[in-house]
Amino acid sequence: MELNIIRENLQKFQEIKSLADKSISRLSMDELVYIPGPGSLSMLAIMHHMAGNMISRWTGFPEADGEKTNRNRDQEFEEGVYSVEQINELWDKGWQTLFDSIGKLNDKNLQDSTFIRSQELNIHQAILRQMSHLSYHVGQLVFLAKLIKGETWESLSIPKGQSETFNTSMKAKFK
C-alpha cells in the first residue's frame, strides 16, 4: 500500500473540522458566547483564535513565516470584539486557507523548510504542529458544547454504554 501522507493529513483535518462544526451547529448564538467561568473562554473566542492561527500559519505557506506581523493574537481571546457572523466568516476562511495550502503540497515537500515564529521546521513538523493545536482546541469546543447542552447532548462518537455494540458492528463490517 502506497502512503500519501499529505492526503491522509488533509482527511484528518477535515475530520477535525467536522467534529468542531457538529458541536458548533448544536448551539444557539447565545450559547456560542457563553463563558462558563472566570478565566474561561466562549466557544466564539476559541473559534476566533483558531481561525486567526490558521490564517496566519497558512497564508503564504511555506515561504512566509507562519506568525504574521499583522496578526493580533491577543485580540483573538477578547470577548465581544466580533459578531458571530464575522467569526463564522473568519472560521471558514481559516479552514479554507489551511486546506488550500496543504492541498498544493505532495509528499515530496514534507522535508522542505518553513518557519513559525522564526523557528525553522520541516513541512511535516508544521502540519503535525497545526494538527495538534487544532485538535486541542476542538476538544475544548466539544467539551463546552457538551457542558452547555447538558443532558440533551447527543454523542458525536460512540455513546456511553454502546462500545460493545459498536465493536461488534465494526467486526462484522470489516470481516
Side-chain angles (χ1 to χ4, degrees):
M1 178 188 325
E2 183 178 333
L3 289 178
N4 187 329
I5 295 168
I6 294 295
R7 186 188 72 238
E8 291 170 9
N9 279 285
L10 273 172
Q11 289 172 343
K12 189 54 65 180
F13 278 120
Q14 289 165 344
E15 290 172 17
I16 291 167
K17 180 183 186 303
S18 176
L19 189 61
D21 287 341
K22 287 176 185 173
S23 297
I24 293 161
S25 71
R26 295 178 179 194
L27 301 179
S28 68
M29 286 201 193
D30 287 341
E31 290 170 327
L32 286 173
V33 299
Y34 170 73
I35 302 170
S40 298
L41 297 170
S42 70
M43 289 186 66
L44 209 61
I46 296 168
M47 292 168 62
H48 186 191
H49 167 64
M50 290 173 67
N53 180 272
M54 287 184 282
I55 292 166
S56 185
R57 294 291 179 267
W58 301 101
T59 299
F61 184 84
E63 297 80 18
D65 190 300
E67 186 63 22
K68 306 298 183 284
T69 56
N70 65 345
R71 179 181 182 204
N72 187 342
R73 182 182 178 277
D74 291 334
Q75 188 183 55
E76 294 166 8
F77 299 104
E78 292 178 20
E79 301 289 346
V81 175
Y82 293 101
S83 69
V84 173
E85 293 79 14
Q86 289 170 315
I87 299 297
N88 281 330
E89 193 174 304
L90 287 170
W91 176 258
D92 291 339
K93 180 181 178 183
W95 283 104
Q96 196 59 55
T97 304
L98 179 148
F99 292 141
D100 290 347
S101 294
I102 294 177
K104 293 176 186 174
L105 302 171
N106 61 57
D107 286 0
K108 293 175 186 166
N109 300 119
L110 291 171
Q111 292 302 316
D112 295 349
S113 291
T114 191
F115 292 85
I116 299 175
R117 294 192 176 106
S118 301
Q119 178 187 6
E120 185 173 9
L121 303 168
N122 66 43
I123 287 175
H124 191 222
Q125 290 170 319
I127 290 170
L128 292 175
R129 178 179 171 152
Q130 183 73 95
M131 192 172 301
S132 175
H133 182 250
L134 295 177
S135 295
Y136 169 82
H137 287 304
V138 168
Q140 290 176 313
L141 293 175
V142 173
F143 179 77
L144 274 171
K146 186 175 180 178
L147 179 73
I148 290 165
K149 287 305 197 185
E151 293 298 320
T152 64
W153 177 256
E154 293 179 28
S155 178
L156 297 173
S157 62
I158 305 165
K160 187 175 178 180
Q162 298 296 314
S163 296
E164 189 174 326
T165 302
F166 180 80
N167 289 341
T168 300
S169 70
M170 293 301 285
K171 286 177 186 174
K173 179 178 178 179
F174 290 108
K175 276 194 175 187

